[in-house]
Amino acid sequence: MNMETVSVALGARAYDIVIGDGVLAEAGAHIRPHLARPRTVIVTDANLEKGPLAALTRSLAAAGIAAPAVVVPPGEGNKSFAGLEKLIDALILHKVERRDVIIALGGGVVGDLTGFAAAILRRGVGFIQVPTTLLAQVDSSVGGKTGINTGEGKNLVGAFHQPRLVLADVAQLDSLPAREMRAGYAEVVKYALLGDAGFFDWLEANGAKVLAGNRAAQVYAVATSCRHKARIVAADEREEGQRALLNLGHTFGHALEAATGFGARLLHGEAVAIGMVLAFELSAKLGLCAEGEAARVRRHLAALSLPVGVADIPGPRLDPDVLIRHMQQDKKVADGRLTFVLTKGIGRAFLKNDVPAAAVSALLEGAVAA
Ligand SMILES: NC(=O)c1ccc[n+]([C@@H]2O[C@H](COP(=O)([O-])OP(=O)(O)OC[C@H]3O[C@@H](n4cnc5c(N)ncnc54)[C@H](O)[C@@H]3O)[C@@H](O)[C@H]2O)c1
Ligand SMILES: [Zn+2]
């Protein structure tokens, strides 16, 4: 089988990410060594009941593992205190014990919610991530950030809780809507832009294959992305420094998501695509990187039908002042100062905490009017 394993070197909390074409069918064999007894609970969302849940349950049963499922409603709305309470109650009814390991099967919503439930249930049980969206396979399932949203904003409540194993089956991506696939792809491009120019060259040549369902290209893209995330997380598990590089495109992106209501008008990955272009354009404006680099990033994302400018967002025109205000409320603000991930070119991102507000305003005014 076409399979790659990436290790996350976190000492006592180290774990493997197994990426492959068809690994779900072998999940039982991968998961069994992580269980103290042949019993687990699978948490998934209603969209995944027929395909992935059936396949995972079958594979666990073949390995002699009892695995009842808790099926939660799909969607970001369930990543909430109310959703958490229901999930915790269900896990307790399933008699999950302190030494048990539960499984999150789904996208980032299921992964974040289940991971947080695992972090606090009986003061912490183990969990395994089986991500089924491209975004979850390359980003949210790795690194141990778990949590829920509150009425005030996204991911405001949570815990660092590393999974024991991540099993990413690229075959599951076949059923993912094309738009979700493209949104996840933006995070793949992020890894190339922040630290791997050679990977960007590869994506320019092969990105369309990743989106079109070429399994070998998908395994390579997911594994390369995970290798970058694993390296950064191992060096800075709790985001005290370099892990913030993973926020390339996200300060602008979050402001765009907030201004569009965190909904179907603009998906997270789409916001990140626009945000990365803005970060490159801001870097070029500040004389930090060549204009041609920003143009190259824009060209690649646009070639794969991702939005690349604020003007590409459907609906009423956005107000640059509102965007600035959202940026100032970003979690990454420390002492009122915005830290931006800027760049010296493709593969050369760095953190900068003294970006002049006027330059950001000017850029956004231009972007909104474009
Ligand atoms: N923890 C982290 O480090 C981290 C990082 C990035 C994003 N996130 C979080 O991840 C979430 C977004 O994750 P997402 O983009 O995976 O969204 P999601 O979990 O909502 O999944 C998107 C949709 O696709 C469906 N789906 C999932 N897998 C499918 C498949 N194989 N085939 C068909 N449909 C499928 C889901 O049911 C859902 O409707 C956000 O809540 C975000 O905050 C967390
Ligand atoms: Zn992201």
Side-chain angles (χ1 to χ4, degrees), residues 139 187 190 250 268 272:
D139 192 355
E187 303 278 7
K190 177 185 77 178
H250 281 63
H268 172 76
V272 169

Side-chain angles (χ1 to χ4, degrees), residues 6-8 31-32 56-57 60 173 184 187-188 193 203 206 211 213 239 241 249 255 275 279 284 295 297-298 348:
V6 175
S7 298
V8 187
I31 288 172
R32 183 65 189 93
L56 179 58
T57 307
L60 291 171
L173 301 175
E187 303 278 7
V188 174
L193 295 181
L203 289 172
N206 298 285
L211 293 181
E239 196 164 320
V297 173
R298 179 184 267 268
R348 299 170 65 203

